[in-house]
Amino acid sequence: MEEILLKRPGKKIMLLGNEAIVRGALEAGVQFVSTYPGTPASEVGDTFSKIGGKTEVYFEYSTNEKVALEAAAGASFCGLRSLVAMKHFGLNVASDFLIPLCYSGIKGGMVLLVADDPNCWSSAQSEQNTRAFAYLAHIPILEPSSPQESKGFTKLAFELSEKFKIPVMIRHTTRVSHQSGPVILGKIKKKVIKGKFIKDPHQFVTMPPKVLEMKKELLQKIEEIRKISEKSKINLVTNYGSATSVKGVGVICSGISYLYVMEALKELNLKIPVLKLGFFYPLPKEKIKRFIKILKKVLVVEELEPYLEREIVRFAKEANPKLEIFGKNILPEIGELKPEYVIKAISQLSGAKLAFDFKKHLAKFKKVKAKKHIPRLCPGCPYWLVFSAVKKAVDPKKVIFGGEIGCYMLAGLPPHEIQDYLYCMGSSAGIAHGIKKATKQKLISFVGDSSFFHAGIPALINAVYNKSNPLIIILDNRATAMTGHQPHPGVGKTGMGEKVKEIKIEDIVRACGVKNLKVIDPGNQKEMVDTIKEFLKKNEVSVIVARRPCVRIKS
Ligand SMILES: Cc1ncc(C[n+]2csc(CCOP(=O)(O)OP(=O)(O)O)c2C)c(N)n1
């Protein structure tokens, strides 16, 4: 039995932040879980995939995040508690549905785990602060800072969601998702609800003019939730230790920033009141006003854009116009925070003598000589064969290469260096079409198999429909490899390990109207090279499905 399913309330076990979300959802009685993989959120889905079949919970890897959100909402409309997990980019894909979903609301409690990745540790395309969605979608957002909180906040999120009939987001960052820590287990809820969809066009049909009424109701719900936020114990003032006290100075923070603040205060041996916010949205406005009213200076510690700081500036106008507010003027807006940044900022603010010896501290790390590491495809990866065939078939200087997100993005690095643009999932073929309309230059677009199902199909249809002629090479390694080999519709297996009929990429490509189509094992170099040369001369879209399993797939 997986430890995460332990039925021993009160027992303390070590869990990853993402695993704590799973445990919290199980204790809250979740019945439907959907996801599309993406680091740093992947372990939520992967853990459910492992325990699938041992619980009453239904789990799926959906084809993309929008579909995952829609599926979870459908289950919630029937009264089931549902969880959906994704990385930050996934929410951009899902946002077209998220916004009206917040208007209509839901039935069974629905929690959305979104993991941001400050510093882009495992995110190629951009650094994103998902907290912006609070303002766009009016979705309540809770920010835990430890695995214990991730579990507790998940349970609270389900309760809030069901009480106010609104999806609730838990926002993680990489360090919250991937830190492990002790978690006290609660009871796993066993109650199984039989889903029933009760027709209610007033709730589930978003159309003007009613949709504006719905927006009004949503804003009213947020004000009701704010009342809970005002009283909630997850927005709390902590005073560190019994060390030196500094009058008139305070700190406000949330999520992982709280841990940096605690470390800084310990290093500086300071006692400063810290307002730790568990609710990012809606903020406990009155509690914050009471906190800042008696201060002379406040430091807002948050990663990325200063959303919290802007709110504090607003509240200070009413509560304490003379308050000096520090934040992004002394802390970075790009990348993760580090304890040393926060130590410096707090000592600057408090006038505390910096007892902390930075030189000595940093010297510890200098001893570890970091080797310059250029990421490379694994030995035996089938993509070596694809890229080598491409280089044999064409002069790379004379052809444009479209890249995308996945292991195949390494095409841009030595020794391949065949990637001239790279953005997001599904964009390679979409951009290829525009380039082909603008120029007569030859173009090869690379698309991964999971990416094809995720967002590549509409781009392919667009290129065929609008009479383009890029060569699209679909790299079918039989897995969503880069994020941990999760299955997709092409591999004949679901997230719960059930066997299903494979949806064949070539059948879809054919159905999209592509006539120049070949499925080739790239081990057959001659066929690959000859076909690339032949297809590049075509006046219509052509597609090669380069099929050979990833070497890391365990059979
Ligand atoms: C919208 C979005 N969701 C998820 C991700 C995370 N992600 C990056 S690469 C990748 C896997 C792509 O798999 P595939 O297309 O099969 O390529 P492979 O890694 O197998 O080469 C995923 C899911 C992302 N970058 N963007």
Side-chain angles (χ1 to χ4, degrees):
M1 176 69 78
E2 306 280 342
E3 210 185 13
I4 201 144
L5 292 174
L6 262 187
K7 286 185 194 142
R8 287 181 54 192
K11 187 174 163 58
K12 212 184 256 184
I13 62 169
M14 293 294 283
L15 290 179
L16 270 188
N18 281 345
E19 291 168 338
I21 296 280
V22 173
R23 179 70 194 201
L26 290 168
E27 289 181 13
V30 75
Q31 281 183 255
F32 187 104
V33 181
S34 51
T35 191
Y36 182 75
T39 315
S42 299
E43 294 84 3
V44 175
D46 295 349
T47 306
F48 275 109
S49 178
K50 268 187 221 144
I51 61 176
K54 293 177 190 153
T55 67
E56 300 291 339
V57 183
Y58 168 82
F59 169 71
E60 71 173 41
Y61 290 113
S62 310
T63 42
N64 68 30
E65 294 85 353
K66 178 168 177 274
V67 176
L69 188 69
E70 288 159 352
S76 159
F77 292 169
C78 300
L80 268 52
R81 285 195 164 185
S82 67
L83 172 75
V84 54
M86 59 191 70
K87 75 178 291 173
H88 51 313
F89 302 142
L91 193 61
N92 306 340
V93 175
S95 62
D96 199 30
F97 176 61
L98 177 71
I99 294 171
L101 180 68
C102 290
Y103 276 41
S104 78
I106 44 82
K107 274 216 162 134
M110 183 174 170
V111 175
L112 171 58
L113 180 272
V114 182
D116 278 355
D117 187 19
N119 234 59
C120 293
W121 292 112
S122 49
S123 307
Q125 48 214 81
S126 63
E127 192 183 51
Q128 182 174 309
N129 190 341
T130 291
R131 297 195 291 179
F133 276 92
Y135 309 113
L136 201 61
H138 299 288
I139 180 165
I141 301 181
L142 308 183
E143 289 192 292
S145 54
S146 65
Q148 181 69 54
E149 284 190 353
S150 292
K151 181 177 87 94
F153 285 21
T154 302
K155 289 167 86 172
L156 172 66
F158 272 109
E159 279 161 31
L160 281 175
S161 168
E162 206 154 274
K163 180 163 184 205
F164 293 97
K165 305 283 170 230
I166 187 171
V168 174
M169 186 195 299
I170 303 273
R171 183 215 179 216
H172 265 191
T173 50
T174 305
R175 304 275 169 189
V176 183
S177 280
H178 289 167
Q179 69 173 294
S180 70
V183 173
I184 301 168
L185 300 181
K187 219 174 158 189
I188 292 185
K189 218 175 181 180
K190 260 274 153 116
K191 202 173 132 202
V192 179
I193 291 171
K194 250 189 143 195
K196 184 165 185 180
F197 185 85
I198 299 164
K199 292 179 192 238
D200 183 359
H202 177 76
Q203 182 176 6
F204 298 125
V205 180
T206 55
M207 264 214 288
K210 195 180 65 187
V211 76
L212 299 180
E213 198 56 40
M214 288 172 146
K215 182 173 177 186
K216 194 172 154 197
E217 285 168 18
L218 170 61
L219 296 181
Q220 281 165 352
K221 273 185 200 177
I222 293 297
E223 286 318 306
E224 287 304 308
I225 298 171
R226 193 186 304 281
K227 288 182 194 158
I228 303 224
S229 172
E230 294 286 1
K231 289 191 198 133
S232 173
K233 285 192 189 128
I234 71 167
N235 300 318
L236 78 164
V237 180
T238 62
N239 260 298
Y240 185 75
S242 56
T244 323
S245 120
V246 182
K247 277 228 164 95
V249 177
V251 176
I252 303 181
C253 56
S254 66
I256 195 67
S257 308
Y258 175 69
L259 301 190
Y260 293 131
V261 169
M262 286 296 107
E263 192 170 334
L265 292 179
K266 191 174 167 197
E267 290 292 349
L268 293 166
N269 196 30
L270 279 185
K271 187 178 180 186
I272 285 180
V274 177
L275 176 57
K276 176 193 190 298
L277 297 166
F279 273 82
F280 173 73
Y281 185 81
L283 283 171
K285 189 175 162 186
E286 296 308 320
K287 195 178 248 178
I288 295 174
K289 279 163 81 176
R290 281 197 299 278
F291 181 76
I292 58 176
K293 209 173 178 145
I294 50 166
L295 297 178
K296 286 198 184 98
K297 295 178 188 176
V298 74
L299 173 68
V300 184
V301 182
E302 63 188 316
E303 284 179 326
L304 311 179
E305 289 79 1
Y307 296 134
L308 196 51
E309 189 180 333
R310 279 182 210 150
E311 296 289 347
I312 309 295
V313 170
R314 228 158 47 85
F315 300 158
K317 274 192 186 144
E318 295 167 33
N320 184 357
K322 285 193 182 149
L323 180 72
E324 277 188 77
I325 300 168
F326 296 79
K328 292 298 158 188
N329 54 344
I330 54 175
L331 286 167
E333 188 167 333
I334 300 168
E336 282 181 313
L337 290 178
K338 287 182 180 171
E340 48 266 40
Y341 299 162
V342 182
I343 292 170
K344 265 191 189 160
I346 293 183
S347 61
Q348 191 176 335
L349 183 83
S350 63
K353 218 172 145 248
L354 225 135
F356 189 72
D357 187 340
F358 276 99
K359 273 196 186 149
K360 210 169 146 193
H361 172 74
L362 294 173
K364 280 191 253 169
F365 302 104
K366 273 188 197 145
K367 281 183 205 144
V368 185
K369 263 215 163 156
K371 260 198 192 159
K372 214 173 171 206
H373 170 72
I374 299 176
R376 272 168 89 92
L377 294 172
C378 302
C381 168
Y383 296 171
W384 286 104
L385 298 165
V386 177
F387 301 149
S388 105
V390 168
K391 286 178 108 173
K392 283 181 202 158
V394 303
D395 176 353
K397 288 194 207 94
K398 294 194 181 144
V399 175
I400 303 166
F401 299 99
E404 224 181 78
I405 312 293
C407 294
Y408 56 107
M409 64 203 259
L410 297 178
L413 300 177
H416 322 288
E417 295 179 286
I418 45 170
Q419 189 163 262
D420 299 306
Y421 61 84
L422 173 87
Y423 291 88
C424 58
M425 297 187 78
S427 65
S428 168
I431 297 168
H433 161 62
I435 292 177
K436 287 302 292 177
K437 283 283 162 189
T439 154
K440 288 201 168 11
Q441 288 165 273
K442 302 275 180 212
L443 188 148
I444 299 177
S445 154
F446 297 115
V447 183
D449 45 353
S450 189
S451 302
F452 177 73
F453 287 109
H454 178 282
I457 299 169
L460 174 63
I461 295 175
N462 189 52
V464 174
Y465 169 53
N466 289 302
K467 298 169 75 179
S468 231
N469 68 335
L471 164 58
I472 298 170
I473 300 185
I474 301 176
L475 297 131
D476 185 2
N477 61 357
R478 317 281 299 151
T480 315
M482 199 186 203
T483 45
H485 298 93
Q486 294 85 354
H488 61 60
V491 304
K493 202 174 85 179
T494 70
M496 289 177 65
E498 294 158 305
K499 276 200 168 167
V500 285
K501 199 166 182 293
E502 286 176 25
I503 297 176
K504 291 217 180 310
I505 292 176
E506 54 273 33
D507 289 350
I508 297 176
V509 172
R510 217 171 278 120
C512 291
V514 175
K515 289 189 220 109
N516 312 307
L517 166 70
K518 268 195 186 172
V519 181
I520 306 175
D521 175 345
N524 188 345
Q525 285 283 286
K526 182 165 176 355
E527 195 183 0
M528 273 298 284
V529 174
D530 291 348
T531 310
I532 292 167
K533 284 184 181 164
E534 180 199 335
F535 278 5
L536 274 176
K537 289 184 199 137
K538 300 280 183 192
N539 278 331
E540 301 147 317
V541 175
S542 36
V543 173
I544 296 173
V545 180
R547 179 169 295 145
R548 184 178 259 226
C550 169
V551 278
R552 291 187 178 267
I553 293 178
K554 293 178 200 127
S555 50

